Amino acid sequence: MALLTVLCYPDPRLHQVAKPVAQVDARIKKIVADMADTMYEAPGVGLAATQVDIHERIVVIDVSDEQNELRVFINPEITWASPEKKSWREGCLSVPEFYDEVERPAQIRVKALDLEGKEFEIEADGLLAVCLQHELDHLQGKVFVEYLSLLKRNRISQKMKKRAKELVGQR
């Protein structure tokens, strides 16, 4: 088990666009395992590779109550989104302790590769749809706070920078 360091907003590396995974091999499986360990330890319900400074299209998600239903999405892509929107209170491991409402499509369809490199497609709604959209945004270099007003975004950015300075000062 290897825990990875989660980048914190406003780190510019969070804005890098992830590249497609060329081949699902042992290296990718190790990254997935380490990402899952990191997500569960945090604790969180989703983690994109971008958040741990790996700029490849990999997402792990577990929205189950028992946190025992890991889902892996390699090279995920939204192929359909409902016109109906729904607002959810979102948080993020890269923006700890900050939560806000974000409006997104209520239902989506996603195609991706699994850990064996086989393509699959799922339809999602509820928390899974929100989580998938949130994590796929990370792969595009977008953090959920970018859906908020400029005032809120700047306030969060300043608080995160202050927190980072305080942590460095404690070492």
Side-chain angles (χ1 to χ4, degrees), residues 42-126:
V45 295
L47 186 67
T50 302
Q51 292 177 268
V52 291
D53 205 19
I54 297 170
H55 302 283
E56 295 182 76
R57 295 187 60 79
I58 306 168
V59 166
V60 295
I61 291 176
D62 188 341
V63 294
S64 68
D65 290 336
E66 297 80 26
Q67 292 259 281
N68 63 355
E69 295 175 23
L70 181 67
R71 294 173 183 246
V72 176
F73 299 84
I74 299 169
N75 295 338
E77 182 182 323
I78 295 174
T79 59
W80 173 82
S82 69
E84 177 195 350
K85 305 278 189 207
K86 183 147 183 164
S87 190
W88 284 76
R89 187 165 173 78
E90 293 187 27
C92 182
L93 295 179
S94 293
V95 194
E97 298 173 29
F98 290 95
Y99 301 87
D100 214 316
E101 296 289 319
V102 176
E103 187 177 75
R104 299 183 183 272
Q107 297 175 295
I108 58 169
R109 187 177 305 122
V110 173
K111 88 174 173 186
L113 301 177
D114 65 16
L115 259 183
E116 302 309 313
K118 291 184 175 68
E119 189 173 293
F120 70 96
E121 193 168 45
I122 66 162
E123 288 196 17
D125 59 9

Coordinates of all heavy atoms in Angstrom, one line a residue, residues 42-126:
A42 N -8.2 9.0 2.8 CA -8.5 10.4 2.9 C -9.6 10.8 4.0 O -9.3 11.7 4.7 CB -8.8 11.0 1.6
P43 N -10.7 10.3 4.1 CA -11.5 9.4 3.2 C -12.2 10.2 2.1 O -12.7 11.3 2.4 CB -12.5 8.7 4.1 CG -12.8 9.8 5.2 CD -11.5 10.6 5.3
G44 N -12.4 9.6 0.9 CA -13.1 10.3 -0.1 C -13.9 9.3 -0.9 O -13.8 8.1 -0.7
V45 N -14.7 9.8 -1.9 CA -15.5 8.9 -2.7 C -15.0 8.8 -4.1 O -15.5 8.0 -4.9 CB -17.0 9.2 -2.7 CG1 -17.6 9.0 -1.3 CG2 -17.2 10.6 -3.2
G46 N -14.0 9.7 -4.5 CA -13.5 9.7 -5.8 C -12.1 10.3 -5.8 O -11.8 11.2 -5.0
L47 N -11.3 9.9 -6.8 CA -10.0 10.5 -7.0 C -9.5 10.4 -8.4 O -9.7 9.3 -9.0 CB -8.9 9.8 -6.1 CG -7.5 10.4 -6.0 CD1 -7.6 11.8 -5.3 CD2 -6.6 9.5 -5.2
A48 N -9.1 11.5 -9.0 CA -8.6 11.5 -10.3 C -7.0 11.5 -10.3 O -6.5 12.1 -9.4 CB -9.1 12.7 -11.1
A49 N -6.4 10.9 -11.2 CA -4.9 10.8 -11.2 C -4.3 12.2 -11.2 O -3.2 12.4 -10.6 CB -4.4 10.0 -12.4
T50 N -4.9 13.2 -11.8 CA -4.4 14.6 -11.8 C -4.2 15.1 -10.4 O -3.2 15.8 -10.1 CB -5.4 15.5 -12.6 OG1 -5.6 15.0 -13.9 CG2 -4.9 16.9 -12.6
Q51 N -5.1 14.7 -9.5 CA -5.0 15.1 -8.1 C -3.8 14.6 -7.4 O -3.4 15.2 -6.3 CB -6.2 14.7 -7.3 CG -7.5 15.4 -7.8 CD -8.7 14.9 -7.0 OE1 -9.3 14.0 -7.4 NE2 -9.0 15.5 -5.9
V52 N -3.2 13.5 -7.9 CA -2.0 13.0 -7.2 C -0.7 13.2 -8.2 O 0.2 12.4 -8.1 CB -2.1 11.5 -6.8 CG1 -3.1 11.4 -5.6 CG2 -2.6 10.6 -8.0
D53 N -0.8 14.2 -9.0 CA 0.2 14.6 -9.9 C 0.6 13.5 -10.9 O 1.8 13.4 -11.3 CB 1.5 15.1 -9.1 CG 2.3 16.1 -9.9 OD1 1.9 16.6 -10.9 OD2 3.5 16.2 -9.5
I54 N -0.3 12.7 -11.3 CA -0.2 11.8 -12.4 C -1.1 12.2 -13.5 O -2.3 12.2 -13.3 CB -0.5 10.3 -12.0 CG1 0.5 9.9 -10.8 CG2 -0.4 9.4 -13.1 CD1 0.1 8.6 -10.2
H55 N -0.6 12.7 -14.6 CA -1.4 13.3 -15.6 C -1.8 12.3 -16.7 O -1.5 12.6 -17.9 CB -0.7 14.6 -16.1 CG -0.5 15.5 -14.9 ND1 -1.5 16.2 -14.4 CD2 0.6 15.7 -14.2 CE1 -1.0 16.9 -13.3 NE2 0.3 16.6 -13.2
E56 N -2.5 11.3 -16.3 CA -3.1 10.3 -17.2 C -4.5 10.1 -16.8 O -5.0 10.4 -15.7 CB -2.3 9.0 -17.0 CG -0.9 9.0 -17.5 CD -0.1 7.7 -17.4 OE1 -0.4 6.9 -18.2 OE2 0.6 7.6 -16.4
R57 N -5.3 9.7 -17.8 CA -6.8 9.6 -17.6 C -7.2 8.4 -16.8 O -7.6 7.4 -17.4 CB -7.5 9.7 -19.0 CG -7.2 11.0 -19.7 CD -8.0 11.2 -21.0 NE -9.4 11.1 -20.8 CZ -10.2 12.1 -20.3 NH1 -9.7 13.3 -20.0 NH2 -11.5 11.9 -20.1
I58 N -7.1 8.5 -15.5 CA -7.4 7.4 -14.6 C -8.3 8.0 -13.4 O -7.9 9.0 -12.9 CB -6.2 6.8 -14.0 CG1 -5.2 6.3 -15.1 CG2 -6.6 5.6 -13.0 CD1 -3.8 5.9 -14.5
V59 N -9.4 7.3 -13.1 CA -10.3 7.7 -12.0 C -10.6 6.5 -11.2 O -10.9 5.4 -11.8 CB -11.5 8.4 -12.6 CG1 -12.6 8.6 -11.5 CG2 -11.2 9.8 -13.2
V60 N -10.6 6.7 -9.9 CA -11.2 5.6 -9.0 C -12.3 6.3 -8.2 O -12.3 7.4 -7.8 CB -10.1 5.0 -8.1 CG1 -9.1 4.3 -8.8 CG2 -9.5 6.1 -7.2
I61 N -13.4 5.5 -8.0 CA -14.6 5.9 -7.4 C -15.2 4.8 -6.5 O -15.2 3.7 -6.9 CB -15.7 6.4 -8.4 CG1 -15.2 7.7 -9.1 CG2 -17.0 6.6 -7.7 CD1 -16.2 8.2 -10.2
D62 N -15.7 5.2 -5.3 CA -16.5 4.2 -4.5 C -17.5 5.0 -3.8 O -17.2 5.7 -2.8 CB -15.6 3.4 -3.6 CG -16.3 2.3 -2.9 OD1 -17.6 2.4 -2.8 OD2 -15.7 1.4 -2.4
V63 N -18.7 5.0 -4.2 CA -19.8 5.8 -3.6 C -20.7 4.9 -2.7 O -21.7 5.3 -2.2 CB -20.7 6.5 -4.6 CG1 -19.9 7.6 -5.3 CG2 -21.3 5.6 -5.6
S64 N -20.2 3.6 -2.4 CA -21.0 2.7 -1.6 C -20.9 3.1 -0.1 O -19.8 3.7 0.3 CB -20.5 1.3 -1.8 OG -19.2 1.2 -1.2
D65 N -21.9 2.8 0.7 CA -21.9 3.2 2.1 C -20.7 2.5 2.8 O -20.1 3.0 3.7 CB -23.2 2.8 2.7 CG -24.3 3.7 2.3 OD1 -24.0 4.9 1.9 OD2 -25.5 3.3 2.3
E66 N -20.5 1.2 2.4 CA -19.4 0.4 3.1 C -18.0 0.7 2.5 O -17.1 0.1 3.0 CB -19.7 -1.1 3.0 CG -21.0 -1.5 3.6 CD -22.3 -1.2 2.8 OE1 -22.2 -1.1 1.5 OE2 -23.4 -1.0 3.4
Q67 N -17.9 1.5 1.5 CA -16.7 1.7 0.8 C -16.0 0.4 0.4 O -14.8 0.2 0.7 CB -15.7 2.6 1.7 CG -16.2 4.0 1.9 CD -15.5 5.0 1.0 OE1 -14.4 5.4 1.3 NE2 -16.1 5.4 -0.1
N68 N -16.8 -0.5 -0.3 CA -16.2 -1.8 -0.7 C -16.6 -2.1 -2.1 O -16.7 -3.2 -2.5 CB -16.7 -2.9 0.2 CG -18.2 -3.0 0.2 OD1 -19.0 -2.2 -0.4 ND2 -18.7 -4.0 1.0
E69 N -16.9 -1.0 -2.9 CA -17.3 -1.2 -4.3 C -16.5 -0.3 -5.2 O -17.0 0.6 -5.9 CB -18.8 -1.0 -4.5 CG -19.7 -1.9 -3.8 CD -21.2 -1.6 -3.9 OE1 -21.6 -0.9 -4.8 OE2 -21.9 -2.0 -3.0
L70 N -15.2 -0.6 -5.3 CA -14.3 0.3 -6.1 C -14.6 0.1 -7.5 O -14.8 -1.0 -8.1 CB -12.8 -0.2 -5.8 CG -11.8 0.6 -6.6 CD1 -11.7 2.1 -6.1 CD2 -10.4 0.0 -6.5
R71 N -14.7 1.3 -8.2 CA -14.9 1.4 -9.6 C -13.7 2.1 -10.2 O -13.3 3.1 -9.7 CB -16.2 2.1 -10.0 CG -17.5 1.5 -9.5 CD -18.7 2.4 -9.8 NE -19.9 1.9 -9.3 CZ -20.9 1.5 -10.1 NH1 -20.8 1.7 -11.4 NH2 -22.0 1.1 -9.5
V72 N -13.2 1.5 -11.3 CA -12.1 2.0 -12.0 C -12.5 2.5 -13.4 O -13.1 1.7 -14.1 CB -10.9 1.0 -12.0 CG1 -9.7 1.5 -12.8 CG2 -10.5 0.6 -10.6
F73 N -12.1 3.7 -13.8 CA -12.3 4.2 -15.1 C -11.0 4.7 -15.7 O -10.4 5.6 -15.2 CB -13.3 5.4 -15.0 CG -14.6 5.0 -14.4 CD1 -14.8 5.0 -13.0 CD2 -15.7 4.7 -15.2 CE1 -16.0 4.7 -12.4 CE2 -17.0 4.4 -14.6 CZ -17.1 4.4 -13.2
I74 N -10.6 4.0 -16.8 CA -9.4 4.4 -17.5 C -9.8 5.0 -18.8 O -10.7 4.4 -19.5 CB -8.5 3.2 -17.7 CG1 -8.1 2.6 -16.3 CG2 -7.3 3.5 -18.5 CD1 -7.4 1.3 -16.3
N75 N -9.3 6.1 -19.2 CA -9.7 6.9 -20.4 C -11.2 7.1 -20.4 O -11.8 6.9 -21.5 CB -9.2 6.1 -21.6 CG -7.7 6.1 -21.8 OD1 -7.0 6.9 -21.2 ND2 -7.2 5.2 -22.5
P76 N -11.8 7.5 -19.3 CA -13.3 7.8 -19.3 C -13.7 8.9 -20.2 O -12.9 9.9 -20.4 CB -13.6 8.1 -17.8 CG -12.3 8.7 -17.3 CD -11.2 8.0 -18.1
E77 N -14.9 8.8 -20.7 CA -15.4 9.8 -21.6 C -16.9 9.9 -21.4 O -17.6 8.8 -21.5 CB -15.0 9.4 -23.0 CG -15.4 10.3 -24.1 CD -15.0 9.7 -25.4 OE1 -13.9 9.1 -25.5 OE2 -15.8 9.8 -26.4
I78 N -17.5 11.0 -21.2 CA -18.9 11.2 -21.2 C -19.4 11.2 -22.6 O -19.0 12.0 -23.4 CB -19.3 12.5 -20.5 CG1 -18.9 12.4 -19.0 CG2 -20.9 12.7 -20.6 CD1 -19.1 13.7 -18.2
T79 N -20.3 10.2 -22.9 CA -20.9 10.1 -24.2 C -22.3 10.7 -24.4 O -22.8 10.8 -25.5 CB -20.9 8.6 -24.7 OG1 -21.7 7.8 -23.8 CG2 -19.5 8.0 -24.7
W80 N -22.9 10.9 -23.2 CA -24.3 11.5 -23.2 C -24.5 12.1 -21.9 O -24.1 11.6 -20.8 CB -25.3 10.4 -23.5 CG -26.7 10.9 -23.3 CD1 -27.5 11.6 -24.3 CD2 -27.6 10.8 -22.2 NE1 -28.7 11.9 -23.7 CE2 -28.8 11.4 -22.5 CE3 -27.4 10.2 -20.9 CZ2 -29.8 11.5 -21.5 CZ3 -28.4 10.2 -20.0 CH2 -29.6 10.9 -20.3
A81 N -25.2 13.3 -21.9 CA -25.6 13.9 -20.6 C -27.0 14.4 -20.8 O -27.4 14.9 -21.8 CB -24.7 15.1 -20.3
S82 N -27.8 14.2 -19.7 CA -29.2 14.6 -19.8 C -29.3 16.1 -19.8 O -28.5 16.8 -19.2 CB -30.0 14.0 -18.6 OG -29.6 14.7 -17.4
P83 N -30.4 16.6 -20.5 CA -30.6 18.1 -20.4 C -31.1 18.5 -19.0 O -30.9 19.7 -18.6 CB -31.7 18.3 -21.5 CG -32.3 16.9 -21.7 CD -31.3 15.9 -21.3
E84 N -31.6 17.6 -18.3 CA -32.1 17.9 -16.9 C -30.9 18.1 -16.0 O -29.9 17.3 -16.0 CB -32.9 16.7 -16.3 CG -33.4 16.9 -14.9 CD -33.9 15.6 -14.3 OE1 -34.1 14.6 -15.0 OE2 -34.1 15.7 -13.0
K85 N -30.9 19.1 -15.2 CA -29.8 19.4 -14.3 C -30.2 19.2 -12.8 O -31.4 19.1 -12.5 CB -29.4 20.9 -14.4 CG -29.1 21.4 -15.8 CD -27.7 21.0 -16.2 CE -27.3 21.7 -17.5 NZ -26.3 21.0 -18.2
K86 N -29.2 18.9 -12.0 CA -29.4 18.7 -10.6 C -28.3 19.4 -9.9 O -27.1 19.4 -10.3 CB -29.4 17.2 -10.3 CG -29.8 17.0 -8.8 CD -30.5 15.7 -8.6 CE -30.8 15.6 -7.2 NZ -31.8 14.8 -6.8
S87 N -28.6 20.0 -8.7 CA -27.6 20.7 -7.9 C -27.2 19.8 -6.7 O -28.1 19.2 -6.1 CB -28.1 22.0 -7.4 OG -27.1 22.8 -6.8
W88 N -25.9 19.6 -6.5 CA -25.4 18.8 -5.4 C -24.3 19.6 -4.6 O -23.6 20.4 -5.2 CB -24.7 17.6 -5.9 CG -25.6 16.5 -6.4 CD1 -26.3 16.5 -7.5 CD2 -25.9 15.3 -5.7 NE1 -27.0 15.3 -7.6 CE2 -26.8 14.6 -6.5 CE3 -25.5 14.7 -4.5 CZ2 -27.3 13.3 -6.1 CZ3 -26.0 13.5 -4.1 CH2 -26.9 12.8 -4.9
R89 N -24.2 19.4 -3.3 CA -23.2 20.0 -2.5 C -21.9 19.2 -2.7 O -21.9 18.0 -2.4 CB -23.6 20.0 -1.1 CG -22.7 20.7 -0.1 CD -23.4 21.0 1.2 NE -22.6 21.6 2.2 CZ -22.2 22.9 2.2 NH1 -22.7 23.7 1.3 NH2 -21.4 23.3 3.2
E90 N -20.9 19.7 -3.3 CA -19.7 19.0 -3.6 C -18.5 19.5 -2.7 O -18.5 20.6 -2.3 CB -19.3 19.2 -5.1 CG -20.2 18.6 -6.0 CD -19.8 18.7 -7.5 OE1 -18.5 18.7 -7.7 OE2 -20.6 18.7 -8.4
G91 N -17.6 18.5 -2.5 CA -16.4 18.8 -1.8 C -15.3 18.1 -2.7 O -15.6 17.5 -3.7
C92 N -14.0 18.3 -2.2 CA -12.9 17.7 -3.0 C -11.7 17.5 -2.1 O -11.4 18.3 -1.3 CB -12.6 18.7 -4.1 SG -11.3 18.3 -5.2
L93 N -11.0 16.4 -2.4 CA -9.8 16.1 -1.6 C -8.7 17.1 -1.8 O -7.9 17.3 -1.0 CB -9.3 14.7 -1.9 CG -10.2 13.5 -1.5 CD1 -9.6 12.2 -1.9 CD2 -10.5 13.6 0.0
S94 N -8.8 17.8 -3.0 CA -7.8 18.9 -3.3 C -8.2 20.2 -2.8 O -7.4 21.2 -2.9 CB -7.6 19.0 -4.8 OG -7.0 17.8 -5.3
V95 N -9.4 20.3 -2.2 CA -9.9 21.6 -1.6 C -10.5 21.2 -0.3 O -11.7 21.3 -0.1 CB -10.9 22.3 -2.5 CG1 -11.1 23.7 -2.1 CG2 -10.5 22.3 -4.0
P96 N -9.7 20.7 0.7 CA -10.3 20.1 1.9 C -11.1 21.2 2.7 O -10.7 22.3 2.7 CB -9.1 19.6 2.7 CG -7.9 20.3 2.0 CD -8.3 20.6 0.6
E97 N -12.2 20.7 3.3 CA -13.0 21.5 4.2 C -13.9 22.6 3.5 O -14.5 23.3 4.1 CB -12.2 22.1 5.3 CG -11.5 21.1 6.2 CD -10.6 21.7 7.2 OE1 -10.8 22.8 7.6 OE2 -9.6 21.0 7.6
F98 N -13.9 22.6 2.2 CA -14.7 23.5 1.4 C -15.8 22.8 0.6 O -15.4 21.8 -0.1 CB -13.9 24.4 0.5 CG -13.0 25.4 1.2 CD1 -11.7 25.1 1.5 CD2 -13.6 26.6 1.7 CE1 -10.9 26.0 2.2 CE2 -12.8 27.5 2.4 CZ -11.4 27.2 2.7
Y99 N -17.0 23.2 0.8 CA -18.1 22.5 0.1 C -19.0 23.6 -0.5 O -19.2 24.7 0.1 CB -18.9 21.7 1.1 CG -18.1 20.6 1.7 CD1 -17.4 20.9 2.9 CD2 -18.0 19.3 1.2 CE1 -16.6 19.9 3.5 CE2 -17.3 18.3 1.8 CZ -16.6 18.6 2.9 OH -15.8 17.7 3.5
D100 N -19.6 23.3 -1.7 CA -20.5 24.3 -2.2 C -21.4 23.6 -3.3 O -21.1 22.5 -3.7 CB -19.8 25.5 -2.9 CG -20.6 26.8 -2.7 OD1 -21.9 26.7 -2.9 OD2 -20.0 27.8 -2.4
E101 N -22.5 24.2 -3.6 CA -23.5 23.7 -4.6 C -22.9 23.9 -6.0 O -22.4 24.9 -6.4 CB -24.8 24.4 -4.5 CG -25.5 24.3 -3.2 CD -26.1 22.9 -3.0 OE1 -26.6 22.3 -4.0 OE2 -26.0 22.4 -1.9
V102 N -23.0 22.8 -6.8 CA -22.6 22.8 -8.2 C -23.8 22.1 -9.0 O -24.2 21.1 -8.6 CB -21.3 22.0 -8.4 CG1 -21.0 22.0 -9.9 CG2 -20.2 22.7 -7.7
E103 N -24.2 22.8 -10.0 CA -25.2 22.2 -10.9 C -24.6 21.5 -12.1 O -23.7 22.0 -12.7 CB -26.1 23.3 -11.4 CG -27.3 22.8 -12.2 CD -28.3 23.9 -12.6 OE1 -27.9 24.6 -13.6 OE2 -29.3 24.1 -12.0
R104 N -25.1 20.2 -12.3 CA -24.5 19.4 -13.3 C -25.7 18.6 -13.9 O -26.8 18.5 -13.4 CB -23.5 18.4 -12.8 CG -22.3 19.0 -12.1 CD -21.4 17.9 -11.6 NE -20.2 18.4 -10.9 CZ -19.1 18.7 -11.5 NH1 -19.0 18.7 -12.8 NH2 -18.0 19.2 -10.8
P105 N -25.5 18.0 -15.1 CA -26.5 17.1 -15.7 C -26.9 16.0 -14.7 O -26.0 15.5 -14.0 CB -25.8 16.5 -16.9 CG -24.9 17.6 -17.3 CD -24.3 18.1 -16.0
A106 N -28.2 15.7 -14.6 CA -28.7 14.7 -13.6 C -28.3 13.3 -13.9 O -28.1 12.5 -13.0 CB -30.2 14.8 -13.5
Q107 N -28.2 13.0 -15.2 CA -27.8 11.6 -15.7 C -26.7 11.8 -16.7 O -26.7 12.7 -17.5 CB -29.0 10.9 -16.2 CG -30.1 10.7 -15.3 CD -31.3 10.0 -16.0 OE1 -31.9 10.6 -16.8 NE2 -31.6 8.8 -15.6
I108 N -25.8 10.8 -16.8 CA -24.8 10.7 -17.8 C -24.6 9.3 -18.2 O -24.9 8.3 -17.5 CB -23.5 11.3 -17.3 CG1 -22.9 10.6 -16.1 CG2 -23.6 12.8 -17.1 CD1 -21.5 11.0 -15.7
R109 N -23.9 9.2 -19.4 CA -23.4 7.9 -19.8 C -21.9 8.0 -20.1 O -21.5 9.0 -20.7 CB -24.1 7.5 -21.2 CG -23.8 6.1 -21.6 CD -24.6 5.7 -22.9 NE -26.0 5.8 -22.7 CZ -26.8 6.6 -23.5 NH1 -26.2 7.3 -24.5 NH2 -28.1 6.7 -23.3
V110 N -21.2 7.1 -19.5 CA -19.7 7.1 -19.6 C -19.2 5.8 -20.2 O -19.6 4.8 -19.8 CB -19.1 7.3 -18.2 CG1 -17.6 7.2 -18.2 CG2 -19.5 8.7 -17.6
K111 N -18.2 6.0 -21.1 CA -17.5 4.8 -21.6 C -16.1 4.9 -21.1 O -15.5 6.0 -21.0 CB -17.7 4.6 -23.1 CG -16.6 5.3 -23.9 CD -16.8 4.9 -25.4 CE -15.9 5.8 -26.2 NZ -16.0 5.6 -27.6
A112 N -15.5 3.8 -20.8 CA -14.1 3.7 -20.3 C -13.6 2.3 -20.4 O -14.2 1.4 -20.9 CB -14.1 4.1 -18.8
L113 N -12.3 2.2 -20.0 CA -11.7 0.9 -19.9 C -11.6 0.4 -18.5 O -11.5 1.3 -17.6 CB -10.2 0.9 -20.5 CG -10.1 1.4 -21.9 CD1 -8.6 1.5 -22.3 CD2 -10.8 0.5 -22.9
D114 N -11.7 -0.9 -18.3 CA -11.6 -1.4 -16.9 C -10.1 -1.8 -16.7 O -9.3 -1.5 -17.5 CB -12.6 -2.6 -16.7 CG -12.3 -3.8 -17.5 OD1 -11.2 -3.9 -18.1 OD2 -13.1 -4.7 -17.6
L115 N -9.9 -2.4 -15.5 CA -8.5 -2.8 -15.2 C -7.9 -3.8 -16.1 O -6.7 -4.1 -16.1 CB -8.4 -3.3 -13.7 CG -7.9 -2.3 -12.7 CD1 -7.9 -2.9 -11.3 CD2 -6.6 -1.6 -13.1
E116 N -8.7 -4.5 -16.9 CA -8.2 -5.5 -17.8 C -8.1 -4.9 -19.2 O -7.7 -5.6 -20.2 CB -9.2 -6.7 -17.9 CG -9.3 -7.4 -16.5 CD -8.0 -7.7 -15.8 OE1 -7.1 -8.3 -16.5 OE2 -7.9 -7.4 -14.6
G117 N -8.4 -3.6 -19.3 CA -8.3 -3.0 -20.6 C -9.5 -3.2 -21.5 O -9.4 -2.8 -22.7
K118 N -10.6 -3.7 -21.0 CA -11.8 -3.9 -21.7 C -12.7 -2.7 -21.6 O -12.9 -2.1 -20.6 CB -12.5 -5.2 -21.2 CG -11.8 -6.5 -21.5 CD -12.6 -7.6 -21.0 CE -12.0 -9.0 -21.3 NZ -10.8 -9.3 -20.6
E119 N -13.3 -2.3 -22.8 CA -14.2 -1.2 -22.8 C -15.5 -1.6 -22.2 O -16.0 -2.7 -22.4 CB -14.4 -0.7 -24.2 CG -15.1 0.6 -24.3 CD -15.2 1.2 -25.7 OE1 -14.1 1.5 -26.3 OE2 -16.3 1.2 -26.3
F120 N -16.1 -0.6 -21.4 CA -17.4 -0.8 -20.9 C -18.1 0.6 -20.9 O -17.5 1.6 -21.1 CB -17.4 -1.4 -19.5 CG -16.8 -0.4 -18.4 CD1 -17.7 0.4 -17.7 CD2 -15.5 -0.3 -18.2 CE1 -17.2 1.3 -16.7 CE2 -14.9 0.6 -17.3 CZ -15.8 1.4 -16.5
E121 N -19.4 0.5 -20.7 CA -20.2 1.7 -20.7 C -21.2 1.6 -19.6 O -21.8 0.6 -19.4 CB -20.9 1.9 -22.1 CG -21.5 3.3 -22.2 CD -22.0 3.6 -23.7 OE1 -22.6 2.7 -24.3 OE2 -21.7 4.7 -24.2
I122 N -21.4 2.7 -18.8 CA -22.4 2.7 -17.8 C -23.3 4.0 -17.9 O -22.8 5.0 -18.4 CB -21.8 2.6 -16.4 CG1 -21.0 3.9 -16.0 CG2 -21.0 1.4 -16.2 CD1 -20.8 4.0 -14.5
E123 N -24.5 3.9 -17.4 CA -25.3 5.1 -17.2 C -25.4 5.3 -15.7 O -25.4 4.4 -14.9 CB -26.7 4.8 -17.7 CG -26.7 4.8 -19.2 CD -28.1 5.0 -19.9 OE1 -29.0 5.4 -19.2 OE2 -28.2 4.7 -21.1
A124 N -25.3 6.6 -15.3 CA -25.2 6.9 -13.9 C -26.1 8.1 -13.6 O -26.3 9.0 -14.5 CB -23.8 7.3 -13.5
D125 N -26.7 8.1 -12.4 CA -27.4 9.2 -11.9 C -27.0 9.4 -10.4 O -26.2 8.6 -9.9 CB -28.9 9.1 -12.1 CG -29.5 7.8 -11.4 OD1 -28.8 7.2 -10.6 OD2 -30.7 7.5 -11.6
G126 N -27.6 10.3 -9.7 CA -27.3 10.5 -8.3 C -25.9 10.8 -8.0 O -25.2 11.4 -8.8

